[in-house]
Amino acid sequence: MKRFVFPWVLGGLITLATPLYADTTTNSVDPLCSDAELWSGKLVTDICWSCLFPIRAAGASLGGGNVPSIATDEKFCFCTDPMGIPELGMTMGLWNPARLIEIVRNPWCSPALGGHKFSASNVRLIATTGKADFDASEMSFFNYHYFAFPLTILLDLFWDGRCNSDGYRDFDLLYVSELDPTWNNDLLAFFTSPETALFANPVAISACVADAAAAATGNPLDALFWCAGAWGHMYPLSGISPTSYGTDPRITSLLATRATASLHRRGLAWKTSGNDALCGGYIYPFIPKSQYRLSMFYPVAETESNHAIGETTFKWGAGRTYPGPGEDHLYLLWRWQDCCVGL
């Protein structure tokens, strides 16, 4: 997997000099691939900085905001240092921008990298948002790219150590759906997550109503891990979904959540909240939905708040998309981090 290193400077704004890995067949940006202008002043202006709060230290909260139900309830903690000696510390918890997920119509297109393409190959299916005239049998399909995006560490606003459980300190490409044959094939996706069969029934689907109601209050139900609230069903873990007219934030949010859930299912994502994560996160096989929140970065940024997984788009999705370049969506994935800070 390629690793990206970007020259950047702080002076109120962060600018990208030149993508180090893009489509080498042309020097121009693909007109069908949007530029999200991620590495520009938008990195400061289009981030919901108030979403970092509340910050909890030794059980006391600074600032208002939502604390997940699975967050630690401890005030002090013990962790071993590199020499194996127990070290007393206090608990700390906050929302951290951890990942950047781009949902795109055209394969290999990367709005996060200035509208360039990773490859000239179009072997994989091109995404579609359906037709103007459609019936319930028509489906939409999008590819995704999953980046490590530890923004507070990139900007030297926070330290790593135990409060950076997965160890990422740079902007890194972690996963691309174009290389994953299960992402555009529901049957293959079933074989990687056979529990899909348990939830393909009216009883399991009707239980998602309770999850949608809980998500509307900002508190999705982790026990119903097969549900994505008002966005739809989490399974199958593929990029295929019933379509709507144009690109719907509900669909792109659902696919961003499925991408995260599939990485959890394959042992590639971490649980970072709760008493058992104070000394370091650990691989967790099912997505802990309350650990995450999403905010749209592109095309229309959420700068005042973020939203829970499954939270109805009636509360946050109005006016978040437009035809053409506004149909590729970038989401910032916020992750609650509990850690033990040495005294």
Side-chain angles (χ1 to χ4, degrees):
M1 191 71 68
K2 293 287 185 181
R3 182 171 180 136
F4 296 92
V5 181
F6 294 94
W8 56 277
V9 293
L10 273 177
L13 301 178
I14 297 179
T15 57
L16 173 65
T18 305
L20 297 184
Y21 181 51
D23 183 359
T24 58
T25 63
T26 177
N27 292 325
S28 62
V29 175
D30 190 326
L32 299 179
C33 186
S34 311
D35 179 6
E37 300 179 18
L38 173 65
W39 302 99
S40 69
K42 289 186 177 181
L43 199 58
V44 175
T45 61
D46 287 14
I47 300 292
C48 176
W49 294 107
S50 62
C51 295
L52 290 168
F53 296 95
I55 297 176
R56 303 179 76 195
S61 295
L62 172 64
N66 183 281
V67 176
S69 58
I70 58 176
T72 182
D73 55 2
E74 301 288 342
K75 295 180 175 60
F76 299 96
C77 49
F78 282 96
C79 292
T80 57
D81 63 15
M83 301 295 294
I85 301 174
E87 180 182 10
L88 174 65
M90 70 174 184
T91 61
M92 176 166 283
L94 78 161
W95 290 106
N96 249 327
R99 300 288 185 265
L100 185 72
I101 308 172
E102 53 184 19
I103 309 295
V104 295
R105 299 161 294 162
N106 297 311
W108 305 110
C109 165
S110 181
L113 299 180
H116 289 266
K117 299 182 72 174
F118 295 123
S119 169
S121 171
N122 285 325
V123 173
R124 290 290 170 193
L125 294 177
I126 295 179
T128 174
T129 57
K131 302 175 182 178
D133 296 321
F134 57 84
D135 56 34
S137 66
E138 290 188 340
M139 310 295 282
S140 61
F141 172 77
F142 295 81
N143 282 294
Y144 78 88
H145 307 133
Y146 198 83
F147 295 92
F149 195 65
L151 186 59
T152 54
I153 294 175
L154 284 171
L155 301 182
D156 290 330
L157 298 178
F158 203 66
W159 60 94
D160 42 4
R162 292 197 188 103
C163 291
N164 181 25
S165 58
D166 55 22
Y168 288 103
R169 295 181 293 175
D170 301 306
F171 180 63
D172 291 286
L173 179 61
L174 302 182
Y175 206 90
V176 291
S177 64
E178 289 89 346
L179 299 178
D180 184 355
T182 69
W183 187 248
N184 59 19
N185 189 304
D186 286 346
L187 183 60
L188 290 179
F190 168 78
F191 286 108
T192 62
S193 51
E195 69 274 9
T196 302
L198 299 176
F199 310 124
N201 61 78
V203 175
I205 294 173
S206 62
C208 294
V209 174
D211 186 53
T217 67
N219 299 286
L221 303 177
D222 289 338
L224 303 181
F225 60 87
W226 63 91
C227 302
W231 301 344
H233 208 270
M234 193 78 75
Y235 290 91
L237 298 177
S238 72
I240 303 170
S241 174
T243 193
S244 61
Y245 181 68
T247 301
D248 188 344
R250 179 191 66 81
I251 292 178
T252 56
S253 295
L254 172 63
L255 297 184
T257 304
R258 282 185 180 177
T260 305
S262 69
L263 295 179
H264 269 282
R265 193 68 185 89
R266 296 169 188 179
L268 299 173
W270 300 67
K271 186 173 184 289
T272 61
S273 54
N275 293 338
D276 49 358
L278 287 172
C279 296
Y282 57 95
I283 298 298
Y284 197 71
F286 296 103
I287 181 172
K289 293 182 295 184
S290 61
Q291 173 182 284
Y292 296 109
R293 295 180 72 87
L294 288 165
S295 64
M296 181 177 281
F297 180 86
Y298 177 84
V300 181
E302 291 178 80
T303 58
E304 302 297 327
S305 63
N306 53 23
H307 55 274
I309 288 179
E311 187 172 333
T312 174
T313 53
F314 285 111
K315 295 183 65 176
W316 63 270
R320 298 287 176 192
T321 189
Y322 52 83
E327 293 187 281
D328 293 325
H329 291 175
L330 266 70
Y331 289 96
L332 189 60
L333 184 67
W334 298 76
R335 184 176 65 188
W336 182 266
Q337 174 72 63
D338 282 319
C339 53
C340 184
V341 181
L343 295 177

